[in-house]
Amino acid sequence: MAALPITHGGPGPVIPGYGPIEEATEGFVILCHQLKTRAQAKAHKVFDDFAAISYRAQIVAGKNFIFKILVGGENYIHAKVFWALPCYGGGVVLVDVQENKTKTDSIEPF
């Protein structure tokens, strides 16, 4: 069976341990916006925009998220974020960013 084409919000390829690609809801948009300063520091750039479009999640001792974020024009980044369980402090950490992404790039673990 051929892989499905990747679009933001589409199901995307099956990746063991990760859920399907989903549209970013208001809560995730707000969460990502709070990480903008940290993402700019990691990328050594200033982003014109910073809007979460879609994401994938993996349940661990908390949750790993990989967000597709519009950062200006046709430019996107992928941001890996860890959200700890409340019993471990409940903190949110921006783990890494991948630059030079497009709207149609698949959200893959990195």
Side-chain angles (χ1 to χ4, degrees):
M1 178 187 227
L4 296 172
I6 306 304
T7 59
H8 83 269
V14 174
I15 298 174
Y18 279 83
I21 296 172
E22 298 185 41
E23 294 291 323
T25 59
E26 183 180 352
F28 288 125
V29 171
I30 292 168
L31 170 68
C32 282
H33 187 72
Q34 292 172 349
L35 298 172
K36 180 179 180 179
T37 303
R38 291 183 232 170
Q40 290 178 141
K42 278 199 179 282
H44 304 289
K45 292 183 178 175
V46 175
F47 300 126
D48 295 333
D49 297 315
F50 204 80
I53 304 299
S54 53
Y55 71 96
R56 269 200 137 108
Q58 176 189 36
I59 297 173
V60 290
K63 271 195 175 178
N64 286 325
F65 293 95
I66 302 172
F67 290 97
K68 180 182 296 276
I69 300 171
L70 175 65
V71 293
E74 294 295 316
N75 301 311
Y76 292 79
I77 63 168
H78 289 176
K80 185 174 184 178
V81 175
F82 174 69
W83 192 338
L85 290 170
C87 61
Y88 296 116
V92 177
V93 177
L94 176 65
V95 177
D96 202 2
V97 297
Q98 287 184 331
E99 298 180 71
N100 304 314
K101 296 296 183 177
T102 67
K103 184 176 182 177
T104 58
D105 283 340
S106 178
I107 299 174
E108 304 285 337
F110 59 97

